[in-house]
């Protein structure tokens, strides 16, 4: 069974500060995704990384996939209240059938940005 | 909006009753996934279906739970004889059939059905 542990589980910081959220596993994944989920809604995909060491930027968000494809990080610069939400990482298995994958989701990081 | 549609959004059942949750995937998507989310937790995979076919049900409890995705109509997740531990948010996600998309695994989620068992 593949497991993804996220840390911290809860994070509350002031607007304007920087933060990093981590997603770690002992398993290798073919791809790693980050989703954000707001209360009462479903998760929405932010980014997909597929290559070991890959870095992707989405405005103030920077995503990195570990060299061994076992871990990932999400760094937010100058956090805004709109960044508040539950951040979930999800890994795709190495072997997939039918061109689709069963994603394994992390435990989640609940982020609160205080104005 | 041609997104993933789930209903009902909220469902209250008493112990022993049946719960039926429905999911209509995005237009053009032929793959449906059901996930369960407990409060303050991530999503746990339950079942993956294509039209008229269960591909992977390894995450679904063997008893009381069943899922289908008929040729016509929405996918249905059915929970019989519900217990308090079944209280959770149940999310449906869909994806297109596209081998070129393999290994990116993007899922499009519905807004979820929140089941409360009294």
């Amino acid at each position: 069974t593949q497991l993804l542990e996220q840390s911290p589980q809860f994070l509350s910081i002031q607007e304007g500060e920087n933060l990093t959220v981590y997603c770690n596993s002992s398993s290798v994944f073919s791809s790693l995704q980050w989703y954000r989920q707001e209360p009462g809604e479903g998760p929405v995909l932010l980014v997909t990384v597929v290559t070991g060491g890959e870095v992707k930027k989405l405005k103030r968000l920077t995503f990195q996939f570990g060299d061994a494809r076992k871990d990932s990080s999400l760094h937010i610069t100058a956090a805004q209240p709109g960044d508040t939400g539950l951040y979930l990482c999800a890994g795709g298995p190495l072997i997939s059938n039918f061109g689709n994958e069963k994603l394994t989701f992390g435990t989640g990081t609940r982020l609160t940005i205080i104005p | 909006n041609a997104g993933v549609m789930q209903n009902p959004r909220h469902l209250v059942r008493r112990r022993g009753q049946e719960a039926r949750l429905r999911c209509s995937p995005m237009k053009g998507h032929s793959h449906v996934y059901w996930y369960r989310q407990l409060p303050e937790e991530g999503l746990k995979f339950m079942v993956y279906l294509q039209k008229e076919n269960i591909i992977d049900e390894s995450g679904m409890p063997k008893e009381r739970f069943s899922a289908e995705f008929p040729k016509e109509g929405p996918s249905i997740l059915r929970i019989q004889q519900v217990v308090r531990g079944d209280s959770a948010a149940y999310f449906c996600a869909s994806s297109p059939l596209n081998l070129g998309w393999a290994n990116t695994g993007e899922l499009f989620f519905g807004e979820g059905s929140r089941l409360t068992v009294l």
Side-chain angles (χ1 to χ4, degrees):
Chain A
T1 303
Q2 296 176 310
L3 293 174
L4 279 165
E5 295 286 338
Q6 287 186 239
S7 61
Q9 187 177 359
F10 298 94
L11 182 59
S12 183
I13 64 170
Q14 294 287 342
E15 180 178 358
E17 294 184 354
N18 301 332
L19 66 107
T20 302
V21 174
Y22 299 93
C23 173
N24 295 295
S25 177
S26 57
S27 302
V28 178
F29 292 96
S30 60
S31 63
L32 203 294
Q33 301 180 331
W34 285 90
Y35 290 79
R36 182 168 70 204
Q37 183 180 18
E38 305 204 13
E41 298 184 8
V44 176
L45 180 67
L46 296 175
V47 77
T48 301
V49 285
V50 296
T51 306
E54 182 176 0
V55 176
K56 278 193 176 179
K57 293 196 175 195
L58 185 66
K59 295 185 181 178
R60 293 175 295 100
L61 279 60
T62 301
F63 304 86
Q64 183 161 11
F65 201 10
D67 291 340
R69 291 187 294 159
K70 293 182 179 181
D71 55 84
S72 180
S73 63
L74 158 60
H75 182 78
I76 301 179
T77 303
Q80 305 290 315
D83 297 328
T84 293
L86 178 67
Y87 287 81
L88 297 162
C89 64
L94 284 179
I95 299 174
S96 66
N97 297 317
F98 306 101
N100 287 274
E101 300 177 352
K102 178 179 70 181
L103 292 178
T104 299
F105 278 82
T107 48
T109 293
R110 187 163 296 282
L111 175 64
T112 303
I113 307 302
I114 304 166
Chain B
N1 185 347
V4 178
M5 303 300 293
Q6 289 188 249
N7 67 83
R9 292 292 308 278
H10 300 274
L11 182 62
V12 179
R13 285 287 179 266
R14 296 191 180 280
R15 281 181 298 171
Q17 291 184 321
E18 178 179 289
R20 282 191 181 223
L21 310 177
R22 288 174 290 277
C23 169
S24 296
M26 285 182 71
K27 187 176 181 180
H29 288 192
S30 57
H31 300 253
V32 166
Y33 300 75
W34 285 93
Y35 283 81
R36 176 163 64 178
Q37 185 177 39
L38 295 172
E40 304 301 329
E41 291 189 11
L43 283 79
K44 296 285 192 274
F45 168 80
M46 297 183 73
V47 61
Y48 162 36
L49 310 103
Q50 295 179 19
K51 287 280 188 183
E52 300 183 282
N53 214 1
I54 297 175
I55 305 302
D56 183 346
E57 56 182 347
S58 60
M60 198 156 66
K62 299 261 187 292
E63 298 180 355
R64 303 190 298 108
F65 285 73
S66 62
E68 63 176 7
F69 189 14
K71 186 176 179 181
E72 301 290 338
S75 174
I76 296 175
L77 179 66
R78 181 183 179 204
I79 311 172
Q80 295 177 290
Q81 299 175 318
V82 295
V83 300
R84 288 213 174 110
D86 296 333
S87 296
Y90 292 84
F91 286 94
C92 170
S94 71
S95 66
L97 172 61
N98 181 355
L99 292 179
W101 164 89
N103 292 327
T104 64
E106 180 171 0
L107 296 178
F108 297 83
F109 281 88
E111 293 184 318
S113 292
R114 281 150 187 83
L115 172 65
T116 301
V117 179
L118 301 177

